[in-house]
Amino acid sequence: MKRITLIVGILGLAIVGCTNGSPNDNTANIDTKPVTNTSAESKTATGDAKLRSVAFTVGDLSNPFFVVMGKAVEAEAKRIGGKDTKVTIASSAYDLNQQANQIENFTAANTDVIILNAADKTGIRPIVQKAKQAGTIIVAVDTGAEGGVDATITTNNVQAGEVSCQYIADRLKGKGNVVIVNGPPVDSVIQRVSGCENVLSKYPDIKILSKNQNAEGSRDGGLRVMSDLLTTFPKIDAVFAINDPSGLGAELAAKQAQRKDFFIVGVDGAPDAITAIAAKDSLYAATATQNPRGMAQKAVQVGNDILNGKKLKSSTILIPVKLITKENVSTEKGW
C-alpha cells in the first residue's frame, strides 16, 4: 500500500484467526505507567493545530474493505495536512492486546489523531482511557469503542442487518430455514446480527438453524463454517453472512458440496460480491453496501476538526446502507 507503514506486532503475520482479546477477562493487558502526548501539549501552548500525523489501527488488512479504508485515511490526511503528514496503518488481526500495544505506541509517538477500528468494544476501554488522559484524539470508525473516544463514525449496522434479512424474509415469503454466518464479536457484527434477528422474529415460519458460528469475517472462515453447516443441515433456504468475504466463502462451500438449494445475502458491497450478484449462476443474491472510503474520510475530517477545537454537532455519525440485488446491480459502481 503506497506510503502506508504497516506495523506488525508479534502476532501481526496472523491476519486471520487470532483471538479476539485476552484469554481470561477479555480486557487488554496494558502498562499502567502514564504516557503523555507531548505533541498535544505543544499544540495547546502554541495554537498550532496543523495535522501532522494520523494512525489507523484496523481489524484485518486481508479484507479489501479495510484496505480501501486505509488508503482513504492516508489520502484524506495528506489532503488536509499536506504531503508530509505521517500516516501509519496497523493491522491488529482482531487481537485485543496487540491493538492496545499499537495505541500505546501511537500515543507515545505523539500522534495527532488515532483512527480506531476496535477489536473489542469493551475490552479496548483501558487503553483508550489512557490515551485520552495523555491528550490524544481518538475517532472510532466502522465499529464502536468504549473508553471515551471523541467521536464514532460507522455504517448503520442495525439497518444493514434489517434490510438484508427483510430481503430474505420477502424472498422466502415468510417461510423457510435460515443460517447466519456470524463473525468476530465486534460491535458492528453484533448489531448486524441483531438487526437481522429483529426482522426474522416477525416471521414465525422462518427458523434460524444456526447463528453462533464465527467465520472470522474472512473467505476462508466462510468456507469452513458453511461446509460444516451444509453437513449438519440438509435443508437450508437462505444464508445471511455478516460480511461479503465470509458470504463468498459460503458460496464456495456450496459449490464444493454441489448445493444450490439456497441463496446468500451479505454486507459490504465488496467488488467481488457485486460481480457474484451479477453472475447468472451465482447463489449470491444481495449485499447491503457500506461506504468504507466515505467513513474513513469522515473520520480523518472529524479528527482534524477536534484538533482545531471545533465542537461536533453529534459525536456519533451513522451512514445509511443501500441494498444491492440482481435487479439493481447493473447500476452499482461499488467502492
Side-chain angles (χ1 to χ4, degrees):
M1 194 181 303
K2 185 177 181 181
R3 295 185 180 178
I4 295 181
T5 303
L6 176 61
I7 295 179
V8 182
I10 296 174
L11 298 179
L13 295 178
I15 296 296
V16 178
C18 293
T19 58
N20 184 29
S22 56
N24 297 320
D25 59 3
N26 207 36
T27 300
N29 296 320
I30 63 172
D31 188 352
T32 57
K33 293 184 294 183
V35 174
T36 301
N37 187 329
T38 56
S39 177
E41 288 184 343
S42 66
K43 284 191 284 287
T44 301
T46 65
D48 180 6
K50 182 179 179 180
L51 184 65
R52 293 189 175 92
S53 56
V54 174
F56 181 28
T57 171
V58 63
D60 180 5
L61 282 173
S62 72
N63 185 339
F65 180 86
F66 292 121
V67 173
V68 170
M69 289 192 78
K71 290 180 178 179
V73 165
E74 181 189 32
E76 190 65 12
K78 291 183 180 296
R79 184 191 70 81
I80 293 172
K83 64 180 181 179
D84 293 329
T85 300
K86 181 181 178 181
V87 181
T88 305
I89 312 296
S91 175
S92 72
Y94 288 116
D95 183 272
L96 180 58
N97 285 315
Q98 179 161 280
Q99 188 165 67
N101 289 335
Q102 291 167 351
I103 294 172
E104 190 164 43
N105 290 337
F106 296 153
T107 303
N110 299 321
T111 303
D112 290 332
V113 177
I114 296 175
I115 309 297
L116 170 61
N117 174 243
D120 184 300
K121 176 183 179 179
T122 301
I124 203 68
R125 183 197 300 125
I127 191 61
V128 170
Q129 291 174 332
K130 186 177 179 182
K132 288 304 303 168
Q133 289 170 2
T136 305
I137 295 167
I138 302 181
V139 179
V141 67
D142 185 54
T143 191
E146 296 180 3
V149 296
D150 295 276
T152 303
I153 292 93
T154 74
T155 296
N156 189 333
N157 286 295
V158 173
Q159 182 193 36
E162 289 174 343
V163 299
S164 297
C165 289
Q166 187 62 60
Y167 175 88
I168 289 174
D170 291 344
R171 182 160 166 173
L172 293 180
K173 297 182 179 180
K175 185 176 182 179
N177 295 327
V178 176
V179 298
I180 296 174
V181 177
N182 216 315
V186 297
D187 205 31
S188 55
V189 172
I190 293 169
Q191 290 176 0
R192 290 172 200 176
V193 173
S194 176
C196 176
E197 290 183 296
N198 288 344
V199 169
L200 296 186
S201 66
K202 300 174 184 177
Y203 298 88
D205 291 329
I206 291 181
K207 182 179 181 181
I208 299 177
L209 301 177
S210 172
K211 64 177 183 178
N212 297 318
Q213 296 301 306
N214 181 1
E216 299 163 349
S218 70
R219 192 181 297 240
D220 288 346
L223 172 61
R224 171 181 52 80
V225 166
M226 196 65 205
S227 295
D228 291 342
L229 293 173
L230 290 173
T231 301
T232 304
F233 302 110
K235 188 178 187 304
I236 297 172
D237 298 300
V239 176
F240 172 58
I242 57 87
N243 71 355
D244 285 332
S246 57
L248 291 166
E251 183 180 38
L252 180 57
K255 288 180 179 178
Q256 291 181 355
Q258 297 184 331
R259 292 275 295 270
K260 297 182 179 180
D261 49 311
F262 56 87
F263 61 92
I264 300 168
V265 179
V267 176
D268 276 349
D272 286 350
I274 292 175
T275 299
I277 292 169
K280 292 182 179 180
D281 60 346
S282 175
L283 299 179
Y284 224 87
T287 181
T289 185
Q290 301 192 84
N291 184 356
R293 186 173 288 103
M295 274 194 288
Q297 290 170 339
K298 190 67 176 178
V300 177
Q301 292 164 9
V302 167
N304 184 63
D305 285 347
I306 296 169
L307 185 68
N308 283 276
K310 295 181 181 179
K311 292 186 178 181
L312 305 178
K313 293 181 180 179
S314 174
S315 62
T316 300
I317 299 172
L318 295 179
I319 300 181
V321 301
K322 180 178 72 174
L323 191 68
I324 301 172
T325 67
K326 290 185 181 295
E327 286 69 34
N328 65 4
V329 69
S330 63
T331 61
E332 178 58 41
K333 296 180 180 179
W335 305 332

